[in-house]
Amino acid sequence: MKKGWIALIVVAVLLLIVYSSIKGTYNTMVQRDESISTAWAQVENQYQRRADLIPNLVNTVKGYADFEQETLTGVIEARAKATSVSIDPSNLSPEAIANFEQAQQGVSSALSRLLVTVERYPDLKANQQFQQLQVQLEGTENRISVERRNFNDVVQGYNTYIRSFPKNLYANMFGFETKGYFQAAAGSETVPEVSFN
């Protein structure tokens, strides 16, 4: 009878250890997954901030009658496309992030073309409101970069955690999947050639 109680206590202790291990691992995965959602929200906030600045920039530039309409239309269309692409934080797959980033790159390209075109309009370049908007856009681009880096750091911690043994067994059991990263834009590894002819 005494052996039966000892065996029962040993089994109960083992079950308690396994339960605690699973519970602790599961809760940590949930916390890290929530951290990714929070980091993603910060990324979206900064992209939204940039999108909110664009109408003011376009309206300021529109005041210059001979400004290229095609350039303005490109910025407006790129903004519309970028704001129509959204990702549910529970589906941060590499493909979803690539689609989101591609739409955002369209905005970046359109804004770059706009700012290059502005160089031909000294009055516009000197406009106080335009200068303030340009500074705000530059600051927002920096914030976007910081939030993307923070997001990638949080995702890396999560992915490493759920892929480590034995946590990967629990992750598979509970349906936790790896998340995607922001990648550098294609061609960014190539240094631009500068020529002063």
Side-chain angles (χ1 to χ4, degrees), residues 169-182:
L169 301 174
Y170 299 145
N172 288 334
M173 186 175 17
F174 293 117
F176 287 93
E177 297 178 357
T178 58
K179 305 289 185 182
Y181 295 95
F182 273 105

Side-chain angles (χ1 to χ4, degrees), residues 13-65:
V13 167
L14 289 175
L15 287 175
L16 185 62
I17 290 170
V18 170
Y19 169 78
S20 295
S21 171
I22 292 172
K23 179 182 139 216
T25 300
Y26 178 82
N27 288 341
T28 301
M29 288 179 194
V30 169
Q31 290 166 351
R32 289 180 182 230
D33 190 49
E34 287 300 315
S35 294
I36 290 172
S37 296
T38 301
W40 178 251
Q42 287 303 103
V43 169
E44 286 185 317
N45 284 341
Q46 294 311 317
Y47 277 116
Q48 185 61 51
R49 184 177 194 281
R50 178 175 73 173
D52 291 345
L53 288 171
I54 291 173
N56 293 335
L57 184 68
V58 168
N59 287 335
T60 301
V61 171
K62 269 185 185 176
Y64 291 80

Side-chain angles (χ1 to χ4, degrees), residues 84-102:
S84 71
V85 176
S86 64
I87 301 176
D88 177 11
S90 65
N91 182 31
L92 291 170
S93 67
E95 298 81 19
I97 291 178
N99 290 338
F100 180 83
E101 181 59 16
Q102 184 178 11

